[in-house]
Amino acid sequence: MIAARWLAGLVRRRPVEMMGAAVATAIAFAFLACLGAFIGDSRAHMTERALASLPVDWQIQATSGTSLATVDAAAKKLPHVRAVVDVQYVAVPALETNINGTHRTTGRAFVVALPTAYSNEFPNTLRVLVGKPAGPQLLQQTAANLGAAPGSAVIVHTPAGKPAIVVTAGVSDLLTADSFFQTVGVAAGAGPSAPPDNVLLVPPADFPRLAAGGEVIRQVHVSFDRSWLPSDPGKAFNAEVQARNHFESQLTGAALVGDNAEVSLSSAREDGLYAQLLILLLGIPGVILAAVITALVVAVRADRRRREMSLVRMRGMPVRTVVGLLAVESAVVAGVGVALGYGLARLAAHWAFGSSHVPTLWLGVAAGVAVVLSLVSHLAPVRSLLRAGAAAQPGRAIAPAIASGRPWPLRFGLDVILLAVAGLIFWLTARGGYQVVVAPEGLATTSVNYAALLAPACAWPGLALFVWRCVDFVLGRRRGRPTGDGHELVVATVRRRRRLISRSAVGLTVALAVTLSTAVFTATYRTQSRLDVALTVGADVAVKEPPSAHVSPSFGDRLAQVPGVQAVAPQQHRFAYVGADLQDLYGVDPANIAKATPLRNSFVPGTTINQALLDLRRTPDGVLLAAETLHDYQLHKGDTIRLRLQTGAQQRYTPITFHVIGNVKEWPTAPKDSFIVANAAYIAQVTGSNDVGLFLVKTNNPRATAHRIQPIVAPMGASVDDIASARSRVTTASGLAATDLSGLSRLQLGFGLILAVAMFALALLLAVLDRRRALVLLAALGATTRQRGRFLAAEARAVLVGGVIGGVVVGSAIAYLLVKVLTGIFDPAPDHATIPWGYLSLLMGLTVVTASAIVAVMGRLASRAGLSTLREL
């Protein structure tokens, strides 16, 4: 009964205060629930995305003495099986052609028996570039080595020593060559690091005469219906490993399984852990900030609440009853907040993620946090009055003393200790290579090196306390000279209240730092994600010419006239022998390549990309080599190297002299293993051909530009790709594409804007209310509105300047730590952080406008000196 009357009185007399607390609770509830929705959404389709570009799940290889039919029959009995195709291949000593009097011979090659149904059962594995799909096919690189085309006669030197002639029907590209020729049954990394250079695909009927006398590799390629796998990549990885082990145990050594799905899921589980870390490092500070906002809303009425509790205690109400009233009030506020927050969460989830679904589990977690938060925030301001004997001293509750001096963390130097620990841990983490996620090769478990997270965890409170120390130091040293207009009194008041001002400035610092660090990190993430896909595609738009086409660089002038195209750069794609190793060779125009495709300093370790391109421009015969090539052949900058390139009309491999000018780690469209970057003009000069294999196009609208280019290049058989279309299907260099942060970014930045402005508004509002007695007394003594406003404006400026400077410094430091500690996500690492200037300008502008509004409006209202106000004070 008492609780009902109490609530009715609060609703009637304090509706705005109760609704404010409920709205703050709703924001905290909605943010936490939406964070849970992102966790569920990011993991729900991670397994599906990891396996989307994987056409062959298992390559089951029959062991010696086991027939392929036995393995095939066992594979067809597997649960969830979708397709089963038999494949055989054998190594042969060489392939040979004699075309128009030109004799060419390859080194060791592979002949593969590939059924016609293979490309139908396993889409996106084989792409016919020229010729017919039915009949023998040469892979693109092999055709270039032999100078062969559809209809060419290829002599196969069989293992038995008897030559056999095969007439090719076409030239194809085996898109899964890396996994197709893997060595099944050896430890990860023990097999060849690259697929074979020379491959001939033949129908199964032609295979026996070509494989006679050789050791035939017999495999059954299998794909599954993956709907049975858990959506969580870690659980899916474990299920996949268990299914494979069970199958191998049933065959009792008759076959070994090359598990491509396991490899893909192994990377996905690592990406999943990075996604969890992103949520932890980006989301948890936002949740804590939302909780602080809720506590501040309740603290706005803390003085009035202390007076009310003191009066009811003086009238003899037991502590148990007082606690019960506060608990009921907090429950009602939490209930209203949860109801409002549920609707807000659904709206925010729909806006951020495109779906309004919020997992029930996270709704329950958010509701529990909201109830606890409401209870604590209601009880904390009056906890001292609930102790025995507190009612005998009501004056302390009515007129609390202004806190002075430094808080205990600053007196004991906790900020310096925390920053020293953060710096030490960061140094140790940097020395160890930032291995925050550990996924040992061949093991079915991944782990998080949580010690690496201690750097940002210690830096957050350390930097916040250090800002408090700096603001307190600056305000404590301020002195005002007597000017006759009360300036010295304003300065003295600010100096006396510096602890409260410093606390408010730290609150604004943390709010801005959370938002700024999230904005910078997510902007950097988006930039690197775009770069990651662009490395695979080549640029915003890439026009790839077929091997038979002879297109000169001047065709780029025509592409440059297409609406939306900002820059075009041609890129040659050839092959060159480094010793016995055949590598991809990319010929570029060093003066223009950077205009069309994103290049980073991390592409060329030890120098900058601008310097590397300048060296390439100054050294026509210069080459950039991969670190592996430099190491294997003991080469250094300035050394001479002779590469064998196809030259002249007969396309014979001829040694050409080059000079090493540096190291290259990444390049658009280049493979992850060794490759070469050289000067296109020099290559055209020494080979007698300036044919372009790829045109790289820069544009602001990749999809639309690609559609405009397609009709222009279609007659020559060229293909057009763009990063907008490729993002969902390409296998990128790192796991950036696996975790889409756009939803979390919108969520964090939207709520962050609200929370940062709310934090500042509440901090100033608390300062105004805390000075209410002084303002009313000044008004009663005849002080003008302008004179009273100077006190508030001085405090607001101190809070604003200290909070903004501190927020920028702390936010920048935390963003730097996040990028460095989570550097395993970025491949290649970013040269610098990306700063979203538009969003940050909006944030700072709203903060300044909020300060002006609070000082102008609330200051005037708080300093009213009516009789009722004087009696209340």
Side-chain angles (χ1 to χ4, degrees):
M1 191 65 181
I2 296 177
R5 290 200 301 269
W6 176 268
L7 288 175
L10 287 175
V11 172
R12 187 173 60 256
R13 301 293 298 274
R14 306 283 188 259
V16 176
E17 294 178 359
M18 289 196 69
M19 185 53 66
V23 170
T25 305
I27 293 176
F29 171 90
F31 184 79
L32 184 57
C34 287
L35 193 62
F38 173 76
I39 295 174
D41 181 73
S42 64
R43 300 183 72 85
H45 306 294
M46 193 169 284
T47 298
E48 180 182 345
R49 288 198 300 267
L51 300 175
S53 59
L54 189 67
V56 179
D57 295 317
W58 288 5
Q59 294 178 215
I60 309 173
Q61 182 168 311
T63 57
S64 178
T66 305
S67 67
L68 190 60
T70 301
V71 179
D72 182 275
K76 290 178 178 178
K77 295 179 182 178
L78 284 167
H80 313 292
V81 69
R82 188 191 63 81
V84 176
V85 177
D86 298 347
V87 173
Q88 301 179 79
Y89 60 89
V90 66
V92 299
L95 301 177
E96 180 184 347
T97 57
N98 193 342
I99 302 173
N100 298 326
T102 301
H103 180 77
R104 298 181 185 180
T105 304
T106 70
R108 184 171 181 262
F110 281 84
V111 176
V112 181
L114 200 68
T116 306
Y118 189 87
S119 58
N120 296 327
E121 296 290 352
F122 306 112
N124 301 320
T125 55
L126 187 67
R127 181 179 61 183
V128 178
L129 302 176
V130 292
K132 300 177 181 180
Q137 304 281 321
L138 285 173
L139 294 194
Q140 177 184 2
Q141 184 172 322
T142 312
N145 295 337
L146 294 172
S152 299
V154 176
I155 303 172
V156 179
H157 293 269
T158 66
K162 183 179 180 180
I165 297 177
V166 175
V167 178
T168 60
V171 176
S172 297
D173 186 12
L174 185 60
L175 304 177
T176 57
D178 287 330
S179 61
F180 190 98
F181 292 101
Q182 66 177 293
T183 304
V184 178
V186 300
S193 59
D197 298 330
N198 300 294
V199 178
L200 172 64
L201 309 178
V202 298
D206 296 341
F207 183 75
R209 67 186 180 94
L210 304 176
E215 183 180 351
V216 178
I217 304 297
R218 298 163 298 153
Q219 293 184 351
V220 175
H221 289 196
V222 181
S223 69
F224 295 96
D225 176 5
R226 299 155 181 160
S227 58
W228 68 278
L229 286 172
S231 59
D232 181 274
K235 295 179 180 178
F237 176 85
N238 294 332
E240 173 67 26
V241 171
Q242 291 169 2
R244 185 203 64 208
N245 291 339
H246 178 71
F247 177 73
E248 287 184 335
S249 67
Q250 285 187 322
L251 290 179
T252 60
L256 298 173
V257 178
D259 196 341
N260 301 324
E262 176 192 349
V263 176
S264 183
L265 289 172
S266 178
S267 299
R269 62 180 175 147
E270 185 176 346
D271 294 336
L273 283 179
Y274 273 117
Q276 291 181 9
L277 291 176
L278 288 174
I279 294 163
L280 179 67
L281 293 176
L282 298 179
I284 297 303
V287 173
I288 295 175
L289 183 59
V292 173
I293 295 294
T294 305
L296 284 178
V297 170
V298 177
V300 168
R301 50 179 180 154
D303 287 343
R304 181 181 295 164
R305 178 51 53 87
R306 279 192 288 265
R307 289 194 297 270
E308 293 171 349
M309 293 299 102
S310 180
L311 289 175
V312 297
R313 291 283 287 117
M314 288 177 61
R315 294 180 180 181
M317 181 176 289
V319 173
R320 180 182 302 175
T321 305
V322 174
V323 173
L325 292 178
L326 293 176
V328 170
E329 180 184 346
S330 67
V332 171
V333 169
V336 176
V338 168
L340 294 175
Y342 177 72
L344 179 60
R346 290 179 63 88
L347 289 174
H350 181 75
W351 171 67
F353 315 127
S355 172
S356 59
H357 173 71
V358 181
T360 305
L361 174 62
W362 280 97
L363 288 175
V365 171
V369 171
V371 171
V372 173
L373 182 60
S374 180
L375 183 62
V376 171
S377 60
H378 278 79
L379 292 177
V382 294
R383 62 186 183 279
S384 61
L385 298 177
L386 301 180
R387 294 194 297 265
Q393 298 176 343
R396 183 173 298 178
I398 297 174
I402 297 177
S404 60
R406 292 179 177 177
W408 70 264
L410 298 185
R411 292 199 302 270
F412 289 100
L414 184 59
D415 54 336
V416 178
I417 295 173
L418 288 173
L419 290 177
V421 171
L424 177 62
I425 295 173
F426 180 73
W427 176 75
L428 293 174
T429 305
R431 189 178 64 174
Y434 306 104
Q435 294 298 320
V436 67
V437 172
V438 181
E441 288 285 352
L443 297 183
T445 59
T446 53
S447 60
V448 177
N449 179 17
Y450 287 103
L453 302 182
L454 289 176
C458 293
W460 261 118
L463 289 170
L465 289 173
F466 187 72
V467 170
W468 191 323
R469 181 185 294 276
C470 293
V471 175
D472 181 83
F473 176 82
V474 172
L475 295 181
R477 296 302 183 274
R478 291 192 62 186
R479 295 292 185 271
R481 298 178 180 178
T483 58
D485 60 354
H487 174 70
E488 69 280 7
L489 180 60
V490 173
V491 173
T493 302
V494 170
R495 186 170 61 250
R496 179 169 176 264
R497 293 171 53 83
R498 66 182 182 275
R499 177 167 177 175
L500 297 177
I501 295 173
S502 300
R503 184 180 65 187
S504 300
V506 169
L508 179 59
T509 292
V510 173
L512 292 177
V514 168
T515 308
L516 187 148
S517 61
T518 301
V520 171
F521 181 85
T522 52
T524 304
Y525 189 98
R526 285 195 302 269
T527 300
Q528 291 303 116
S529 180
R530 182 183 178 92
L531 172 64
D532 202 31
V533 180
L535 272 176
T536 305
V537 175
D540 295 334
V541 176
V543 180
K544 186 176 182 180
E545 306 294 340
S548 59
H550 299 283
V551 181
S552 69
S554 60
F555 184 74
D557 297 335
R558 184 178 177 186
L559 295 178
Q561 298 175 3
V562 175
V565 172
Q566 298 174 336
V568 178
Q571 178 169 282
Q572 297 172 347
H573 183 204
R574 312 283 176 89
F575 296 99
Y577 276 100
V578 183
D581 184 17
L582 187 65
Q583 297 185 10
D584 294 85
L585 172 68
Y586 296 93
V588 301
D589 179 1
N592 297 315
I593 185 68
K595 299 177 182 178
T597 185
L599 302 178
R600 297 291 185 269
N601 294 330
S602 54
F603 289 10
V604 284
T607 185
T608 64
I609 190 63
N610 290 333
Q611 184 61 48
L613 293 175
L614 182 61
D615 292 343
L616 191 61
R617 188 176 181 181
R618 291 173 175 174
T619 311
D621 62 348
V623 288
L624 297 169
L625 300 176
E628 181 182 351
T629 303
L630 295 174
H631 177 269
D632 292 345
Y633 293 92
Q634 291 296 292
L635 296 170
H636 302 87
K637 187 175 181 178
D639 289 351
T640 299
I641 182 174
R642 293 173 66 81
L643 305 178
R644 286 188 295 144
L645 281 73
Q646 290 179 320
T647 63
Q650 305 300 327
Q651 292 294 287
R652 294 179 181 274
Y653 276 99
T654 306
I656 304 295
T657 301
F658 290 86
H659 288 88
V660 179
I661 62 172
N663 175 21
V664 62
K665 181 181 178 182
E666 306 274 0
W667 199 259
T669 72
K672 291 296 290 181
D673 52 3
S674 299
F675 59 91
I676 306 166
V677 177
N679 197 309
Y682 182 73
I683 294 176
Q685 175 187 337
V686 298
T687 63
S689 171
N690 65 351
D691 291 347
V692 174
L694 190 72
F695 286 96
L696 305 176
V697 179
K698 181 180 180 181
T699 177
N700 284 330
N701 193 338
R703 196 185 299 271
T705 303
H707 282 252
R708 297 188 188 104
I709 291 177
Q710 182 64 55
I712 299 175
V713 301
M716 63 182 67
S719 61
V720 182
D721 201 1
D722 66 272
I723 59 174
S725 303
R727 181 175 177 84
S728 61
R729 57 177 171 78
V730 300
T731 303
T732 55
S734 69
L736 281 171
T739 306
D740 186 2
L741 275 194
S742 59
L744 181 61
S745 174
R746 287 191 292 268
L747 178 68
Q748 284 278 120
L749 300 184
F751 273 97
L753 193 65
I754 296 173
L755 294 177
V757 174
M759 173 66 82
F760 186 41
L762 289 169
L764 287 183
L765 185 58
L766 282 172
V768 171
L769 296 179
D770 188 67
R771 291 190 56 81
R772 190 182 183 195
R773 180 184 296 274
L775 292 174
V776 170
L777 291 177
L778 286 173
L781 293 174
T784 64
T785 302
R786 183 172 179 271
Q787 291 171 330
R788 298 194 304 271
R790 292 183 62 184
F791 289 93
L792 294 179
E795 291 191 22
R797 282 196 301 269
V799 173
L800 182 63
V801 173
V804 169
I805 294 177
V808 170
V809 172
V810 175
S812 301
I814 295 299
Y816 175 80
L817 285 176
L818 290 176
V819 172
K820 286 297 183 181
V821 170
L822 295 175
T823 191
I825 296 179
F826 303 112
D827 184 14
D831 294 341
H832 53 78
T834 303
I835 301 176
W837 292 109
Y839 175 82
L840 296 182
S841 300
L842 174 63
L843 177 63
M844 296 304 175
L846 285 177
T847 303
V848 173
V849 171
T850 301
S852 303
I854 290 291
V855 172
V857 178
M858 296 305 299
R860 183 181 298 271
L861 295 177
S863 59
R864 288 180 177 176
L867 293 177
S868 60
T869 303
L870 291 173
R871 282 198 302 270
E872 184 177 354
L873 296 174

